[in-house]
Amino acid sequence: MAQLKAVSAYSCPNLSPYGHKTEQLMHHQLWKAKPFKEFGPRTSVGVSKPQVITAVLSSDTEKGISEYKKSGGLRGKLEKVVLAYSGGLDTSIVVPWLRENYGCDVVCFTADVGQGIKELEGLEEKAKASGASQLVVKDLKEEFVRDYIFPCLRAGAIYERKYLLGTSMARPVIAKAMVDVAKEVGADAVSHGCTGKGNDQVRFELTFFALNPKLHVVAPWREWDITGREDAIEYAKKHNVPVPVTKKSIYSRDRNLWHLSHEGDILEDPANEPKKDMYLMSSDPEDAPDQAEYVEIGIEAGLPVSVNGKELSPASLLAELNEIGGKHGIGRIDMVENRLVGMKSRGVYETPGGTILFAAARELESLTLDRETIQVKDSLALKYAELVYAGRWFDPLRESMDAFMEKITETTTGSVTLKLYKGSVTVTGRRSPYSLYRQDISSFESGQIYDQADAAGFIRLYGLPMRVRAMLEQGI
């Protein structure tokens, strides 16, 4: 079994890898966790300690839920549900709601996809205080970058000209892990905290369907009567779930090792400029260093392997480029996109390391791929990005397209040097042992391979259809 580690918990699903993104963010105090012996050691980071209202499940509540477990819940009967869990208000109240409505045991699942949030400690105690029987925590960072991010990078997948698919790539790796955990613990259902208005519900559930169609899927936000944060707090108090009390963020965010997204508040008006203090992963280009920095990316068969000559694991490589790129204000994107469910939404994305990697990969392909191959690859990249955005990661079509991308980039090996300066990424050099560029052919000086006189016959033949049409129109 892969090593399992504790990860950051989110104050609400807006900033979690699996929660809904319409509620406001909160931060909460985390209780000091005992070592999670079953799943190995944890890592820990410092956290702030805002005021918290704590409570223990009352005997009446426990008794009531026990009765539901015996006879089934208000909406039916399930044996065990694996819940995508962040530790925030919204996923915490899902725990007693599932027990009450489906009479089931609840196993909470948390994934580390590189969120980097400080709210880490106390997840196990918090999950159990909400009524869960168990918490499972998995470190998915390397798998996320190696098996999801890098294939999209190799394919050149960009949604609607700008979006580098940060959230879209994270959902299938999390959902896949949930299916694995469901098998490990003998669960017959899975549950998530996505609303019925966004893309993430589709991404999670298509993965569930593809990997285990026998699993029941419970989506509380499409079933319950809770409509907002105040309703959620009231439900939590009624069921003695710990409720954090703190200042809430005005933005809805999603963060992982690839990117950080921002939605909500003033961003809901596309005419408004984002506030300077909204950004968290990158410096304002105006405040970035006055001295440019050069970085060299090593690539083998279309996949990044090194930074400045130093070979790194996929997750470590991306983390280092995030640090370098963020310092120089690289990778800020402000766009209005078409959601899968039909509406338009405005989002601002920070993808510093990813922006550097896309520039490097595309530039190296200019040396190693011919014109026809580049054109076909670029046309397929549009469909590849659409499939990933729509949650069809495990669709045979995407897998087949990925096989094409892997084959076509076999010779995309070499290095690219880029100059980073106040928000811009400029390519300054590229080299490859498989380069199709020949200086002796491309030079303006005369050469033995290319005879300039041959161009006359080529132009006559290439332009023949245009010439014939003109003759027809002019009666020649």
Side-chain angles (χ1 to χ4, degrees):
M1 182 183 295
Q3 181 183 9
L4 308 180
K5 296 174 62 179
V7 304
S8 66
Y10 290 94
S11 54
C12 83
N14 296 329
L15 199 54
S16 83
Y18 15 79
H20 80 93
K21 299 175 68 177
T22 56
E23 293 295 302
Q24 300 297 329
L25 293 174
M26 306 180 302
H27 294 287
H28 56 74
Q29 177 180 352
L30 297 169
W31 297 271
K32 184 176 180 60
K34 298 177 182 178
F36 195 20
K37 298 179 181 178
E38 182 178 358
F39 298 104
R42 297 177 177 229
T43 57
S44 61
V45 294
V47 295
S48 57
K49 295 185 177 180
Q51 180 185 358
V52 179
I53 298 175
T54 62
V56 180
L57 286 173
S58 67
S59 58
D60 289 341
T61 303
E62 286 282 15
K63 180 178 179 181
I65 292 178
S66 296
E67 291 301 318
Y68 284 123
K69 287 188 64 178
K70 292 178 181 177
S71 59
L74 298 174
R75 297 170 184 264
K77 174 61 180 174
L78 296 170
E79 296 301 324
K80 185 177 292 186
V81 178
V82 174
L83 168 66
Y85 181 73
S86 69
L89 172 64
D90 295 353
T91 53
S92 292
I93 63 174
V94 169
V95 178
W97 186 89
L98 287 171
R99 298 179 69 191
E100 181 179 18
N101 285 272
Y102 289 97
C104 57
D105 284 332
V106 179
V107 175
C108 290
F109 171 74
T110 303
D112 180 1
V113 287
Q115 302 95 320
I117 306 302
K118 295 180 179 179
E119 299 169 21
L120 170 63
E121 298 179 345
L123 273 183
E124 184 178 4
E125 284 76 5
K126 196 165 190 189
K128 290 183 177 180
S130 298
S133 62
Q134 185 182 358
L135 173 71
V136 177
V137 186
K138 287 194 177 185
D139 183 349
L140 304 178
K141 293 192 293 295
E142 290 293 347
E143 179 183 357
F144 176 42
V145 181
R146 180 188 65 245
D147 297 340
Y148 295 80
I149 290 177
F150 277 7
C152 286
L153 174 66
R154 179 176 59 198
I158 300 176
Y159 182 71
E160 294 190 340
R161 306 169 185 167
K162 291 184 177 182
Y163 179 42
L164 300 184
L165 299 169
T167 301
S168 310
M169 295 184 294
R171 298 307 183 244
V173 69
I174 296 168
K176 175 180 177 293
M178 290 178 66
V179 173
D180 293 340
V181 171
K183 181 178 181 180
E184 293 167 10
V185 301
D188 57 337
V190 286
S191 180
H192 59 75
C194 307
T195 69
K197 205 173 184 179
N199 299 315
D200 285 343
Q201 58 180 334
V202 182
R203 295 164 180 159
F204 271 102
E205 294 180 32
L206 290 191
T207 301
F208 299 150
F209 295 162
L211 300 182
N212 189 349
K214 294 182 179 179
L215 285 172
H216 298 280
V217 179
V218 184
W221 282 93
R222 299 201 300 255
E223 296 186 30
W224 63 21
D225 297 325
I226 296 173
T227 59
R229 182 170 179 268
E230 295 305 318
D231 287 347
I233 291 175
E234 186 63 30
Y235 185 90
K237 291 179 178 179
K238 180 180 178 181
H239 292 79
N240 298 302
V241 175
V243 180
V245 178
T246 183
K247 183 178 180 180
K248 54 187 179 181
S249 169
I250 60 175
Y251 299 107
S252 170
R253 290 186 169 111
D254 175 76
R255 185 169 188 165
N256 57 50
L257 196 55
W258 183 248
H259 87 158
L260 171 61
S261 66
H262 311 264
E263 295 180 348
D265 195 57
I266 65 168
L267 299 180
E268 292 184 351
D269 183 347
N272 289 335
E273 179 182 5
K275 293 181 180 178
K276 187 173 182 178
D277 62 0
M278 179 191 73
Y279 296 93
L280 302 177
M281 282 186 75
S282 59
S283 301
D284 190 315
E286 295 177 356
D287 301 327
D290 294 328
Q291 184 67 37
E293 182 172 354
Y294 290 83
V295 60
E296 183 183 45
I297 308 299
I299 296 174
E300 293 183 5
L303 302 177
V305 295
S306 66
V307 176
N308 294 327
K310 181 172 62 175
E311 292 191 3
L312 298 166
S313 72
S316 298
L317 185 148
L318 180 54
E320 180 154 336
L321 287 178
N322 280 338
E323 185 72 22
I324 296 172
K327 179 174 64 175
H328 293 279
I330 305 299
R332 293 184 172 189
I333 294 296
D334 184 341
M335 68 178 291
V336 175
E337 69 192 66
N338 290 292
R339 283 186 179 176
L340 179 62
V341 293
M343 71 187 73
K344 287 185 179 291
S345 65
R346 192 263 188 103
V348 177
Y349 302 96
E350 298 179 75
T351 318
T355 300
I356 295 171
L357 288 175
F358 258 91
R362 177 167 292 187
E363 194 63 30
L364 190 58
E365 288 178 353
S366 72
L367 287 182
T368 63
L369 303 183
D370 60 60
R371 176 178 59 199
E372 296 296 328
T373 301
I374 287 177
Q375 290 176 356
V376 172
K377 183 175 183 293
D378 286 350
S379 66
L380 291 177
L382 296 174
K383 184 61 178 179
Y384 192 107
E386 181 184 335
L387 291 171
V388 175
Y389 186 84
R392 307 188 74 92
W393 185 268
F394 295 99
D395 191 305
L397 175 57
R398 189 212 63 83
E399 294 171 341
S400 299
M401 293 173 68
D402 200 53
F404 168 83
M405 297 299 180
E406 182 177 4
K407 178 63 179 179
I408 214 67
T409 56
E410 282 180 339
T411 59
T412 303
T413 294
S415 64
V416 178
T417 302
L418 308 106
K419 178 181 179 180
L420 313 180
Y421 181 68
K422 291 189 177 295
S424 67
V425 180
T426 306
V427 176
T428 61
R430 73 288 281 163
R431 59 177 60 89
S432 170
Y434 302 103
S435 175
L436 300 177
Y437 176 86
R438 288 282 298 267
Q439 187 173 347
D440 58 340
I441 297 177
S442 302
S443 173
F444 285 105
E445 302 297 328
S446 296
Q448 296 180 348
I449 299 178
Y450 188 97
D451 187 344
Q452 296 189 41
D454 293 340
F458 166 74
I459 294 172
R460 283 196 296 271
L461 293 177
Y462 184 70
L464 183 60
M466 298 179 67
R467 188 177 182 184
V468 171
R469 181 176 293 277
M471 292 171 65
L472 174 66
E473 292 173 349
Q474 298 175 26
I476 299 176

